[in-house]
PDB file of all heavy atoms in Angstrom:
ATOM      1  N   VAL A   1    -129.875 108.317  38.671  1.00 98.00           N
ATOM      2  CA  VAL A   1    -130.525 108.664  39.831  1.00 98.00           C
ATOM      3  C   VAL A   1    -129.579 109.341  40.890  1.00 98.00           C
ATOM      4  O   VAL A   1    -128.353 108.987  40.831  1.00 98.00           O
ATOM      5  CB  VAL A   1    -131.190 107.407  40.467  1.00 98.00           C
ATOM      6  CG1 VAL A   1    -130.244 106.446  40.957  1.00 98.00           C
ATOM      7  CG2 VAL A   1    -132.213 107.760  41.607  1.00 98.00           C
ATOM      8  N   GLN A   2    -129.974 110.229  41.692  1.00 98.00           N
ATOM      9  CA  GLN A   2    -129.245 110.768  42.615  1.00 98.00           C
ATOM     10  C   GLN A   2    -129.102 109.819  43.845  1.00 98.00           C
ATOM     11  O   GLN A   2    -129.834 108.979  44.136  1.00 98.00           O
ATOM     12  CB  GLN A   2    -129.863 112.028  43.213  1.00 98.00           C
ATOM     13  CG  GLN A   2    -129.857 113.184  42.257  1.00 98.00           C
ATOM     14  CD  GLN A   2    -130.405 114.456  42.894  1.00 98.00           C
ATOM     15  OE1 GLN A   2    -130.959 114.551  43.915  1.00 98.00           O
ATOM     16  NE2 GLN A   2    -130.224 115.609  42.135  1.00 98.00           N
ATOM     17  N   ALA A   3    -128.040 109.989  44.552  1.00 98.00           N
ATOM     18  CA  ALA A   3    -127.760 109.182  45.766  1.00 98.00           C
ATOM     19  C   ALA A   3    -128.882 109.241  46.703  1.00 98.00           C
ATOM     20  O   ALA A   3    -129.350 110.464  46.937  1.00 98.00           O
ATOM     21  CB  ALA A   3    -126.385 109.631  46.491  1.00 98.00           C
ATOM     22  N   GLY A   4    -129.236 108.188  47.252  1.00 98.00           N
ATOM     23  CA  GLY A   4    -130.421 108.085  48.231  1.00 98.00           C
ATOM     24  C   GLY A   4    -131.620 107.795  47.558  1.00 98.00           C
ATOM     25  O   GLY A   4    -132.707 107.550  48.121  1.00 98.00           O
ATOM     26  N   GLY A   5    -131.768 107.782  46.107  1.00 98.00           N
ATOM     27  CA  GLY A   5    -132.958 107.547  45.290  1.00 98.00           C
ATOM     28  C   GLY A   5    -133.017 106.099  45.156  1.00 98.00           C
ATOM     29  O   GLY A   5    -132.364 105.247  45.589  1.00 98.00           O
ATOM     30  N   SER A   6    -133.988 105.835  44.324  1.00 98.00           N
ATOM     31  CA  SER A   6    -134.466 104.439  43.981  1.00 98.00           C
ATOM     32  C   SER A   6    -134.656 104.069  42.522  1.00 98.00           C
ATOM     33  O   SER A   6    -134.935 105.041  41.738  1.00 98.00           O
ATOM     34  CB  SER A   6    -135.764 104.079  44.712  1.00 98.00           C
ATOM     35  OG  SER A   6    -135.585 104.220  46.086  1.00 98.00           O
ATOM     36  N   LEU A   7    -134.401 102.952  42.150  1.00 98.00           N
ATOM     37  CA  LEU A   7    -134.903 102.463  40.712  1.00 98.00           C
ATOM     38  C   LEU A   7    -135.244 101.019  40.886  1.00 98.00           C
ATOM     39  O   LEU A   7    -134.919 100.323  41.801  1.00 98.00           O
ATOM     40  CB  LEU A   7    -133.504 102.512  39.851  1.00 98.00           C
ATOM     41  CG  LEU A   7    -133.078 103.871  39.339  1.00 98.00           C
ATOM     42  CD1 LEU A   7    -131.758 103.600  38.559  1.00 98.00           C
ATOM     43  CD2 LEU A   7    -134.041 104.410  38.412  1.00 98.00           C
ATOM     44  N   THR A   8    -136.114 100.690  39.820  1.00 98.00           N
ATOM     45  CA  THR A   8    -136.486  99.293  39.780  1.00 98.00           C
ATOM     46  C   THR A   8    -135.951  98.712  38.422  1.00 98.00           C
ATOM     47  O   THR A   8    -136.382  99.293  37.323  1.00 98.00           O
ATOM     48  CB  THR A   8    -138.065  99.154  39.893  1.00 98.00           C
ATOM     49  OG1 THR A   8    -138.434  99.521  41.091  1.00 98.00           O
ATOM     50  CG2 THR A   8    -138.389  97.688  39.713  1.00 98.00           C
ATOM     51  N   LEU A   9    -135.344  97.551  38.467  1.00 98.00           N
ATOM     52  CA  LEU A   9    -134.937  96.998  37.258  1.00 98.00           C
ATOM     53  C   LEU A   9    -135.845  95.802  36.867  1.00 98.00           C
ATOM     54  O   LEU A   9    -136.242  95.044  37.869  1.00 98.00           O
ATOM     55  CB  LEU A   9    -133.489  96.423  37.242  1.00 98.00           C
ATOM     56  CG  LEU A   9    -132.454  97.467  37.662  1.00 98.00           C
ATOM     57  CD1 LEU A   9    -131.113  96.800  37.752  1.00 98.00           C
ATOM     58  CD2 LEU A   9    -132.421  98.681  36.674  1.00 98.00           C
ATOM     59  N   ASP A  10    -136.142  95.549  35.656  1.00 98.00           N
ATOM     60  CA  ASP A  10    -136.900  94.440  35.212  1.00 98.00           C
ATOM     61  C   ASP A  10    -136.147  93.452  34.358  1.00 98.00           C
ATOM     62  O   ASP A  10    -135.192  93.989  33.619  1.00 98.00           O
ATOM     63  CB  ASP A  10    -138.075  94.911  34.284  1.00 98.00           C
ATOM     64  CG  ASP A  10    -139.053  95.841  35.063  1.00 98.00           C
ATOM     65  OD1 ASP A  10    -138.950  95.873  36.285  1.00 98.00           O
ATOM     66  OD2 ASP A  10    -139.875  96.483  34.304  1.00 98.00           O
ATOM     67  N   CYS A  11    -136.433  92.153  34.430  1.00 98.00           N
ATOM     68  CA  CYS A  11    -135.675  91.200  33.627  1.00 98.00           C
ATOM     69  C   CYS A  11    -136.732  90.296  33.147  1.00 98.00           C
ATOM     70  O   CYS A  11    -137.450  89.617  33.939  1.00 98.00           O
ATOM     71  CB  CYS A  11    -134.646  90.508  34.337  1.00 98.00           C
ATOM     72  SG  CYS A  11    -133.915  89.024  33.526  1.00 98.00           S
ATOM     73  N   VAL A  12    -136.970  90.243  31.821  1.00 97.00           N
ATOM     74  CA  VAL A  12    -137.944  89.378  31.133  1.00 97.00           C
ATOM     75  C   VAL A  12    -137.199  88.243  30.552  1.00 97.00           C
ATOM     76  O   VAL A  12    -136.254  88.492  29.697  1.00 97.00           O
ATOM     77  CB  VAL A  12    -138.702  90.131  30.199  1.00 97.00           C
ATOM     78  CG1 VAL A  12    -139.738  89.225  29.399  1.00 97.00           C
ATOM     79  CG2 VAL A  12    -139.446  91.249  30.781  1.00 97.00           C
ATOM     80  N   ALA A  13    -137.553  87.027  30.870  1.00 97.00           N
ATOM     81  CA  ALA A  13    -136.943  85.854  30.328  1.00 97.00           C
ATOM     82  C   ALA A  13    -137.869  85.132  29.271  1.00 97.00           C
ATOM     83  O   ALA A  13    -139.081  85.112  29.548  1.00 97.00           O
ATOM     84  CB  ALA A  13    -136.639  84.820  31.343  1.00 97.00           C
ATOM     85  N   SER A  14    -137.209  84.567  28.208  1.00 97.00           N
ATOM     86  CA  SER A  14    -138.079  83.896  27.315  1.00 97.00           C
ATOM     87  C   SER A  14    -137.191  82.761  26.779  1.00 97.00           C
ATOM     88  O   SER A  14    -135.971  82.674  27.081  1.00 97.00           O
ATOM     89  CB  SER A  14    -138.348  84.816  26.160  1.00 97.00           C
ATOM     90  OG  SER A  14    -137.239  85.341  25.440  1.00 97.00           O
ATOM     91  N   GLY A  15    -137.804  81.815  26.027  1.00 96.00           N
ATOM     92  CA  GLY A  15    -137.197  80.597  25.532  1.00 96.00           C
ATOM     93  C   GLY A  15    -137.424  79.536  26.451  1.00 96.00           C
ATOM     94  O   GLY A  15    -138.542  79.349  26.933  1.00 96.00           O
ATOM     95  N   SER A  16    -136.286  78.716  26.575  1.00 95.00           N
ATOM     96  CA  SER A  16    -136.461  77.593  27.456  1.00 95.00           C
ATOM     97  C   SER A  16    -136.248  77.829  28.917  1.00 95.00           C
ATOM     98  O   SER A  16    -135.335  77.275  29.554  1.00 95.00           O
ATOM     99  CB  SER A  16    -135.470  76.442  27.011  1.00 95.00           C
ATOM    100  OG  SER A  16    -135.614  76.063  25.605  1.00 95.00           O
ATOM    101  N   THR A  17    -137.141  78.761  29.381  1.00 93.00           N
ATOM    102  CA  THR A  17    -137.014  79.051  30.704  1.00 93.00           C
ATOM    103  C   THR A  17    -137.226  78.008  31.816  1.00 93.00           C
ATOM    104  O   THR A  17    -136.667  78.046  32.948  1.00 93.00           O
ATOM    105  CB  THR A  17    -138.033  80.423  31.096  1.00 93.00           C
ATOM    106  OG1 THR A  17    -139.281  79.859  30.995  1.00 93.00           O
ATOM    107  CG2 THR A  17    -137.687  81.536  30.228  1.00 93.00           C
ATOM    108  N   ASP A  18    -137.987  77.007  31.394  1.00 93.00           N
ATOM    109  CA  ASP A  18    -138.212  75.881  32.333  1.00 93.00           C
ATOM    110  C   ASP A  18    -137.027  74.992  32.545  1.00 93.00           C
ATOM    111  O   ASP A  18    -137.153  74.075  33.477  1.00 93.00           O
ATOM    112  CB  ASP A  18    -139.513  75.164  31.929  1.00 93.00           C
ATOM    113  CG  ASP A  18    -139.487  74.591  30.482  1.00 93.00           C
ATOM    114  OD1 ASP A  18    -138.512  74.849  29.802  1.00 93.00           O
ATOM    115  OD2 ASP A  18    -140.402  73.868  30.077  1.00 93.00           O
ATOM    116  N   THR A  19    -136.031  75.188  31.751  1.00 95.00           N
ATOM    117  CA  THR A  19    -134.830  74.346  31.976  1.00 95.00           C
ATOM    118  C   THR A  19    -133.840  74.936  33.054  1.00 95.00           C
ATOM    119  O   THR A  19    -132.879  74.415  33.434  1.00 95.00           O
ATOM    120  CB  THR A  19    -134.056  74.155  30.593  1.00 95.00           C
ATOM    121  OG1 THR A  19    -133.519  75.503  30.189  1.00 95.00           O
ATOM    122  CG2 THR A  19    -134.799  73.660  29.538  1.00 95.00           C
ATOM    123  N   MET A  20    -134.246  76.197  33.394  1.00 96.00           N
ATOM    124  CA  MET A  20    -133.530  76.845  34.535  1.00 96.00           C
ATOM    125  C   MET A  20    -134.515  76.817  35.730  1.00 96.00           C
ATOM    126  O   MET A  20    -135.608  76.573  35.643  1.00 96.00           O
ATOM    127  CB  MET A  20    -133.178  78.312  34.135  1.00 96.00           C
ATOM    128  CG  MET A  20    -132.429  78.452  32.868  1.00 96.00           C
ATOM    129  SD  MET A  20    -130.641  77.720  33.161  1.00 96.00           S
ATOM    130  CE  MET A  20    -130.833  76.206  32.132  1.00 96.00           C
ATOM    131  N   ASN A  21    -133.964  77.108  36.925  1.00 96.00           N
ATOM    132  CA  ASN A  21    -134.767  77.362  38.075  1.00 96.00           C
ATOM    133  C   ASN A  21    -134.466  78.492  38.885  1.00 96.00           C
ATOM    134  O   ASN A  21    -135.069  78.652  40.041  1.00 96.00           O
ATOM    135  CB  ASN A  21    -134.546  76.022  38.940  1.00 96.00           C
ATOM    136  CG  ASN A  21    -133.133  75.910  39.577  1.00 96.00           C
ATOM    137  OD1 ASN A  21    -132.418  76.650  39.427  1.00 96.00           O
ATOM    138  ND2 ASN A  21    -133.147  74.873  40.366  1.00 96.00           N
ATOM    139  N   ALA A  22    -133.835  79.445  38.343  1.00 97.00           N
ATOM    140  CA  ALA A  22    -133.505  80.689  39.209  1.00 97.00           C
ATOM    141  C   ALA A  22    -133.129  81.793  38.151  1.00 97.00           C
ATOM    142  O   ALA A  22    -132.536  81.544  37.067  1.00 97.00           O
ATOM    143  CB  ALA A  22    -132.434  80.490  40.152  1.00 97.00           C
ATOM    144  N   ILE A  23    -133.377  83.017  38.600  1.00 97.00           N
ATOM    145  CA  ILE A  23    -132.863  84.181  37.850  1.00 97.00           C
ATOM    146  C   ILE A  23    -132.206  85.041  38.922  1.00 97.00           C
ATOM    147  O   ILE A  23    -132.580  85.399  40.008  1.00 97.00           O
ATOM    148  CB  ILE A  23    -134.199  85.056  37.496  1.00 97.00           C
ATOM    149  CG1 ILE A  23    -135.047  84.162  36.456  1.00 97.00           C
ATOM    150  CG2 ILE A  23    -133.804  86.330  36.761  1.00 97.00           C
ATOM    151  CD1 ILE A  23    -134.446  83.882  35.099  1.00 97.00           C
ATOM    152  N   GLY A  24    -131.099  85.698  38.409  1.00 97.00           N
ATOM    153  CA  GLY A  24    -130.261  86.393  39.286  1.00 97.00           C
ATOM    154  C   GLY A  24    -129.769  87.760  38.561  1.00 97.00           C
ATOM    155  O   GLY A  24    -129.967  87.887  37.339  1.00 97.00           O
ATOM    156  N   TRP A  25    -129.263  88.656  39.494  1.00 98.00           N
ATOM    157  CA  TRP A  25    -128.758  89.855  38.980  1.00 98.00           C
ATOM    158  C   TRP A  25    -127.119  89.864  39.397  1.00 98.00           C
ATOM    159  O   TRP A  25    -126.828  89.632  40.503  1.00 98.00           O
ATOM    160  CB  TRP A  25    -129.313  91.132  39.590  1.00 98.00           C
ATOM    161  CG  TRP A  25    -130.765  91.240  38.980  1.00 98.00           C
ATOM    162  CD1 TRP A  25    -131.918  90.824  39.528  1.00 98.00           C
ATOM    163  CD2 TRP A  25    -131.071  92.064  37.964  1.00 98.00           C
ATOM    164  NE1 TRP A  25    -132.979  91.305  38.771  1.00 98.00           N
ATOM    165  CE2 TRP A  25    -132.434  92.044  37.749  1.00 98.00           C
ATOM    166  CE3 TRP A  25    -130.354  92.840  36.934  1.00 98.00           C
ATOM    167  CZ2 TRP A  25    -133.207  92.721  36.690  1.00 98.00           C
ATOM    168  CZ3 TRP A  25    -131.013  93.379  35.912  1.00 98.00           C
ATOM    169  CH2 TRP A  25    -132.328  93.335  35.824  1.00 98.00           C
ATOM    170  N   TYR A  26    -126.258  90.383  38.454  1.00 98.00           N
ATOM    171  CA  TYR A  26    -124.993  90.746  38.735  1.00 98.00           C
ATOM    172  C   TYR A  26    -124.741  92.144  38.193  1.00 98.00           C
ATOM    173  O   TYR A  26    -125.539  92.705  37.539  1.00 98.00           O
ATOM    174  CB  TYR A  26    -124.059  89.775  37.874  1.00 98.00           C
ATOM    175  CG  TYR A  26    -124.005  88.444  38.569  1.00 98.00           C
ATOM    176  CD1 TYR A  26    -125.120  87.383  38.501  1.00 98.00           C
ATOM    177  CD2 TYR A  26    -122.700  87.998  39.211  1.00 98.00           C
ATOM    178  CE1 TYR A  26    -124.934  86.194  38.973  1.00 98.00           C
ATOM    179  CE2 TYR A  26    -122.725  86.754  39.705  1.00 98.00           C
ATOM    180  CZ  TYR A  26    -123.752  85.829  39.587  1.00 98.00           C
ATOM    181  OH  TYR A  26    -123.527  84.598  40.121  1.00 98.00           O
ATOM    182  N   ARG A  27    -123.615  92.776  38.636  1.00 98.00           N
ATOM    183  CA  ARG A  27    -123.257  94.170  38.289  1.00 98.00           C
ATOM    184  C   ARG A  27    -121.752  94.086  38.078  1.00 98.00           C
ATOM    185  O   ARG A  27    -120.972  93.491  38.675  1.00 98.00           O
ATOM    186  CB  ARG A  27    -123.757  95.062  39.281  1.00 98.00           C
ATOM    187  CG  ARG A  27    -123.014  95.108  40.614  1.00 98.00           C
ATOM    188  CD  ARG A  27    -123.657  96.057  41.536  1.00 98.00           C
ATOM    189  NE  ARG A  27    -123.093  96.158  42.820  1.00 98.00           N
ATOM    190  CZ  ARG A  27    -123.460  96.903  43.859  1.00 98.00           C
ATOM    191  NH1 ARG A  27    -124.662  97.535  43.683  1.00 98.00           N
ATOM    192  NH2 ARG A  27    -122.910  96.858  44.980  1.00 98.00           N
ATOM    193  N   GLN A  28    -121.498  95.106  37.086  1.00 98.00           N
ATOM    194  CA  GLN A  28    -119.943  95.268  36.823  1.00 98.00           C
ATOM    195  C   GLN A  28    -119.716  96.699  36.532  1.00 98.00           C
ATOM    196  O   GLN A  28    -120.366  97.263  35.695  1.00 98.00           O
ATOM    197  CB  GLN A  28    -119.549  94.361  35.682  1.00 98.00           C
ATOM    198  CG  GLN A  28    -117.975  94.418  35.464  1.00 98.00           C
ATOM    199  CD  GLN A  28    -117.593  93.392  34.446  1.00 98.00           C
ATOM    200  OE1 GLN A  28    -118.429  92.961  33.604  1.00 98.00           O
ATOM    201  NE2 GLN A  28    -116.351  93.094  34.359  1.00 98.00           N
ATOM    202  N   ALA A  29    -118.779  97.311  37.304  1.00 96.00           N
ATOM    203  CA  ALA A  29    -118.301  98.614  36.974  1.00 96.00           C
ATOM    204  C   ALA A  29    -117.081  98.481  36.083  1.00 96.00           C
ATOM    205  O   ALA A  29    -116.370  97.474  36.220  1.00 96.00           O
ATOM    206  CB  ALA A  29    -118.016  99.428  38.260  1.00 96.00           C
TER     207      ALA A  29
END
């Protein structure tokens, strides 16, 4: 995407999701 633009990321969780209580995003260059 060009600077100033937008994107939407999706994260689908499966498995024993009820053993967790939060979903987060990290990034690494």
Side-chain angles (χ1 to χ4, degrees):
V1 65
Q2 292 184 346
S6 299
L7 283 174
T8 298
L9 306 181
D10 301 342
C11 173
V12 180
S14 60
S16 301
T17 58
D18 56 357
T19 65
M20 305 291 106
N21 69 356
I23 301 292
W25 288 95
Y26 285 70
R27 66 186 183 185
Q28 186 172 23

